[in-house]
Amino acid sequence: MSKIMVLNGPNLNLLGSREPEQYGHETLADVEAMCAVEAQRYGHEVECRQSNHEGVLIDAIHEAGQRIKAGEMLGVVFNPGAYTHTSVALHDAIKGAEVPVIEVHISNVHTREAFRHHSYISPVAAGIVVGMGIQGYVLGIQGLIHKTR
Ligand code: DQA
């Protein structure tokens, strides 16, 4: 059974208490449980990771790349948090490791501050889900399965 990595970047460990008007009241554990249920509907398992550190996220993308090549993993549903708007290194990791990534943002970044309008991840993403709340992760899982079928 191939796995799906659900990867969350900086500050997403604070879901539930962080700016609830922007990100809702559900916790990261709630999000991960939803993802597990959705993946299971399609016969997949999720592997959930969260880190506040760019290098750890890069290592996770590299690992996903190896496991995809080994046929153990489908791809990554990834909310890179603020690194979306700053990280050339994550862009390069996704491209270099040839990982199908669905980029997810809980909020609609395009209605927010101008610095959130640009993403270094979007040009190397297989798909993007923006502004759908935490349901975006479920849509991301569906999209990844659809894209990699
Ligand atoms: C976010 C949007 C980013 O701009 C922000 O830095 C986050 C969360 C979202 O899910 O809406 O941390 O990725």
Side-chain angles (χ1 to χ4, degrees):
M1 175 200 295
S2 53
K3 292 197 172 181
I4 294 172
M5 188 182 285
V6 177
L7 185 59
N8 277 285
N11 300 309
L12 290 156
N13 54 315
L14 300 180
L15 274 183
S17 61
R18 171 195 185 199
E19 300 178 69
E21 65 291 351
Q22 204 65 257
Y23 301 115
H25 292 279
E26 283 87 0
T27 64
L28 183 59
D30 296 332
V31 167
E32 292 175 346
M34 273 174 60
C35 289
V37 168
E38 188 61 18
Q40 213 164 32
R41 286 183 54 208
Y42 296 91
H44 296 289
E45 247 177 46
V46 288
E47 204 171 293
C48 299
R49 314 255 183 108
Q50 187 275 331
S51 178
N52 295 319
H53 304 277
E54 193 173 15
V56 174
L57 297 168
I58 291 166
D59 289 345
I61 295 286
H62 290 177
E63 183 190 322
Q66 285 166 358
R67 291 172 69 187
I68 290 160
K69 289 198 171 87
E72 294 166 25
M73 194 167 259
L74 276 192
V76 179
V77 173
F78 186 23
N79 184 345
Y83 287 139
T84 306
H85 319 298
T86 63
S87 184
V88 175
L90 276 167
H91 169 112
D92 286 350
I94 294 165
K95 195 173 185 179
E98 298 177 308
V99 175
V101 163
I102 307 295
E103 176 184 356
V104 173
H105 298 288
I106 297 167
S107 64
N108 181 354
V109 286
H110 299 289
T111 61
R112 301 180 63 192
E113 303 95 321
F115 64 81
R116 295 185 204 276
H117 297 178
H118 177 262
S119 167
Y120 282 100
I121 308 305
S122 297
V124 290
I128 307 164
V129 185
V130 174
M132 299 300 286
I134 60 163
Q135 191 65 21
Y137 289 89
V138 169
L139 298 171
I141 285 173
Q142 291 172 359
L144 180 67
I145 292 167
H146 178 74
K147 283 261 177 178
T148 55
R149 194 171 276 159

